[in-house]
Amino acid sequence: MSPLKISWKSLISKPLSSGLNIMLIAFGTGILTILLLASTQIENKLNNNSKDIDLVVGAKGSPLQLILSSIYYIDFPTGNIPLKEANELSHNPFVKRATPLALGDNYNGVRIVGTDSNYVSLYGLKVQSGKFWSADLEATIGTTVAKEQNLKVGDTFFGAHGLTNNSDVHKSHAYKVVGILAPQGNVTDNLILTNVASVWKMHEPEDEHKPGEAHEEHHESTEISNREITSLLIQYRSPMSVAMFPRMVNQMTSLQSASPAMESTRLFSLIGVGVDTLQWFAILIMFIAAISVFVNLYNSLKERNYDLAIMRTLGASRTKLFMIVNPRGLGIDHSRHADWGRFRAFGIAVDWALPRK
């Protein structure tokens, strides 16, 4: 009988004890592996979605909430900002590129984002089919949205007010899908992109869409002063902007600036507290399992000392005995083998050792 077969017989002789130890080690190792993979992926996702965005400007409120709503689209915006002030910041000498965002609508829980062509350059977007939006009520959707919502180029859909529910549907205007984005591996795969004017049109009173010359002239003259957007994604022109521009926004305007790098680090540190706790818990489980394995192995060797001695007198080498005992130390077999009995052990030893004489 081979050493591995003897070890296997030992394993199945005490399945509960062996199974418990194996389960403890597997559970602890699994938790550590999952936590390490999850924390790495979360950090990579956070960095991937905000890597080219230096600053986010929005309404006063929580900086973290502003980042979560404007970059990761997983929270409600802090409010709206006047388009006039946003345009002034966009033309500031410290700003290289300013990308406007207009939020407020969704389609089956998928956020509709009003923006401009700067958003395409910011994320390096490419279309898989169709084209980018160019007119009002045209939409370019992410690849995940197309698959989950069963949308294709040429389809139409109605947006709903809010960011999570479909209770207030804008049935007077339908979006038309004109393009589907190529897979990007970031948040744009889960968005519906259109221009800012389309979002404005959805929230205009019905009488503003009726033709009237006097009304149109008044509307054009007051459009800039009355319009609002949700936030601005800023790219700096020079390193000096890092020190000057955020302070200027926070102190000299009614707006708020938030750094994605700082807030993402803060967010990850909050998540990291729980991750570290679970990691120590997994290590504790593995430590307990290791002690249990050691105790079982020690008791097993102690109880089988007589059996091993018989095997040794029958010609078994130290290497062969080690091959029998070693699988238990590797976690394959942790039972005490008390039910073997010396007579059975003697018979197996004779069966294994005699052919080698």
Side-chain angles (χ1 to χ4, degrees):
M1 184 176 291
S2 67
L4 290 178
K5 191 171 183 180
I6 295 176
S7 295
W8 173 249
K9 291 289 186 179
S10 302
L11 174 64
I12 62 177
S13 66
K14 287 290 185 178
L16 293 179
S17 177
S18 301
L20 177 61
N21 291 322
I22 293 174
M23 184 180 66
L24 285 173
I25 293 178
F27 186 63
T29 305
I31 290 178
L32 283 177
T33 303
I34 292 174
L35 289 176
L36 291 174
L37 291 175
S39 60
T40 300
Q41 290 183 0
I42 291 174
E43 187 175 9
N44 290 338
K45 284 290 185 181
L46 291 176
N47 294 332
N48 188 35
N49 289 325
S50 63
K51 61 180 180 180
D52 293 324
I53 302 173
D54 298 317
L55 196 73
V56 179
V57 177
K60 295 287 188 181
S62 168
L64 181 58
Q65 182 180 352
L66 179 60
I67 296 298
L68 292 177
S69 62
S70 298
I71 296 181
Y72 306 113
Y73 304 97
I74 54 177
D75 202 350
F76 291 93
T78 55
N80 294 327
I81 61 176
L83 179 62
K84 182 178 180 181
E85 290 191 48
N87 287 337
E88 292 176 356
L89 289 178
S90 301
H91 294 89
N92 191 282
F94 291 120
V95 177
K96 176 183 178 181
R97 178 188 291 142
T99 304
L101 296 181
L103 306 175
D105 289 344
N106 77 95
Y107 173 68
N108 292 336
V110 179
R111 298 204 178 190
I112 300 174
V113 180
T115 185
D116 59 15
S117 58
N118 286 333
Y119 197 88
V120 177
S121 302
L122 182 65
Y123 284 97
L125 302 181
K126 297 180 180 179
V127 290
Q128 180 176 326
S129 60
K131 64 175 185 177
F132 288 110
W133 72 95
S134 58
D136 292 353
L137 301 179
E138 290 185 347
T140 303
I141 63 177
T143 179
T144 303
V145 178
K147 293 177 182 178
E148 293 181 353
Q149 305 298 331
N150 295 319
L151 293 174
K152 59 183 182 299
V153 176
D155 289 348
T156 58
F157 63 90
F158 294 98
H161 184 67
L163 300 176
T164 56
N165 56 62
N166 296 319
S167 59
D168 185 12
V169 179
H170 302 296
K171 296 184 178 180
S172 58
H173 300 285
Y175 286 101
K176 181 179 179 181
V177 178
V178 297
I180 299 175
L181 296 175
Q184 303 295 322
N186 55 32
V187 71
T188 59
D189 292 338
N190 303 298
L191 297 178
I192 297 174
L193 304 177
T194 185
N195 61 10
V196 178
S198 298
V199 179
W200 288 340
K201 184 173 292 186
M202 290 294 172
H203 299 87
E204 287 177 352
E206 291 296 327
D207 59 353
E208 291 193 15
H209 301 292
K210 296 179 181 180
E213 295 182 0
H215 174 74
E216 288 180 0
E217 290 178 1
H218 176 72
H219 178 72
E220 291 176 0
S221 63
T222 60
E223 180 177 4
I224 298 296
S225 59
N226 293 336
R227 295 297 189 188
E228 292 182 331
I229 62 174
T230 304
S231 59
L232 275 177
L233 306 181
I234 302 293
Q235 281 185 309
Y236 291 143
R237 186 178 298 276
S238 65
M240 186 182 299
S241 306
V242 179
M244 303 292 294
F245 189 73
R247 183 181 303 175
M248 183 196 72
V249 172
N250 292 329
Q251 294 182 356
M252 301 180 64
T253 69
S254 60
L255 310 180
Q256 171 189 233
S257 65
S259 171
M262 294 179 60
E263 297 304 324
S264 296
T265 302
R266 176 187 169 196
L267 175 62
F268 195 74
S269 65
L270 295 176
I271 298 174
V273 173
V275 172
D276 291 341
T277 302
L278 290 176
Q279 284 180 349
W280 282 110
F281 178 68
I283 292 173
L284 178 62
I285 292 177
M286 294 185 68
F287 180 72
I288 294 173
I291 293 177
S292 177
V293 168
F294 175 78
V295 171
N296 286 334
L297 182 60
Y298 177 78
N299 291 334
S300 175
L301 291 175
K302 195 173 180 180
E303 293 175 3
R304 295 194 61 202
N305 190 34
Y306 179 78
D307 304 337
L308 296 175
I310 291 177
M311 292 181 183
R312 190 77 176 96
T313 58
L314 291 175
S317 65
R318 293 180 180 179
T319 303
K320 290 298 183 181
L321 295 182
F322 179 77
M323 291 176 63
I324 295 174
V325 176
N326 188 52
R328 297 196 296 267
L330 295 176
I332 299 176
D333 180 14
H334 310 300
S335 60
R336 293 185 173 90
H337 317 284
D339 62 345
W340 265 49
R342 289 182 170 83
F343 180 79
R344 187 179 176 190
F346 179 81
I348 293 175
V350 171
D351 178 63
W352 174 74
L354 285 180
R356 309 181 65 88
K357 291 292 184 178

